[in-house]
Amino acid sequence: MPRFEAPNPQTLTEHFEAFFTAVDVKEPLVVCIFAYHLAVLVLVVCFRQGKLVTSLTSLQLLICFQLTSINQYLGSHWQTIASQNYFDSNGLFVSVTIGFPCLVNSGIATVFALYNTSKDLKKAFSKKYKSN
């Protein structure tokens, strides 16, 4: 008996498969977006104790707040940066390739910041109790 093919993806895996078959991952735009997020992730991990992480987190969240404007701008200029129009009115491509990784990187940076804060609080309390 032939398998019934649904016209639209039904499950989460079918949605991911449909998305990644529709997007050419070798296209320079997509490669640059992923390279940017990888570079930010490496910077967050390498400089997790410095002030650079706070700046990167702020930048990432600013990008997330401006995703609608980014999608509209890229949608009107897609011929100059991509071989096909990925920028629909819902902003799915921008949300998946730009927004979600920005939120993940910001979350990782926040975890590092909380960890560093807890270490500093432990040091401060131990110095306070040793001096008493």
Side-chain angles (χ1 to χ4, degrees), residues 105-124:
N105 287 337
S106 297
I108 292 170
T110 302
V111 168
F112 283 137
L114 289 172
Y115 176 74
N116 290 333
T117 303
S118 69
K119 281 191 344 185
D120 291 342
L121 281 172
K122 285 181 184 178
K123 286 180 190 177

Side-chain angles (χ1 to χ4, degrees), residues 18-126:
F19 178 79
F20 285 113
T21 55
V23 174
D24 182 15
V25 293
K26 295 179 182 175
E27 186 163 338
L29 171 69
V30 178
V31 171
C32 288
I33 289 172
F34 288 135
Y36 166 76
H37 291 303
L38 183 64
V40 169
L41 180 63
V42 168
L43 286 173
V44 164
V45 171
C46 290
F47 297 102
R48 62 185 170 262
Q49 295 179 350
K51 293 180 181 174
L52 178 66
V53 174
T54 306
S55 301
L56 286 173
T57 303
S58 300
L59 175 67
Q60 297 291 304
L61 293 176
L62 180 67
I63 289 171
C64 286
F65 286 131
Q66 297 299 321
L67 280 179
T68 305
S69 301
I70 292 170
N71 186 53
Q72 289 173 350
Y73 178 78
L74 293 176
S76 62
H77 296 91
W78 70 268
Q79 295 93 349
T80 59
I81 58 172
S83 62
Q84 56 182 328
N85 188 2
Y86 295 116
F87 311 102
D88 62 343
S89 61
N90 296 326
L92 179 67
F93 177 78
V94 172
S95 297
V96 170
T97 60
I98 297 175
F100 182 70
C102 282
L103 290 175
V104 169
N105 287 337
S106 297
I108 292 170
T110 302
V111 168
F112 283 137
L114 289 172
Y115 176 74
N116 290 333
T117 303
S118 69
K119 281 191 344 185
D120 291 342
L121 281 172
K122 285 181 184 178
K123 286 180 190 177
F125 280 128
S126 67

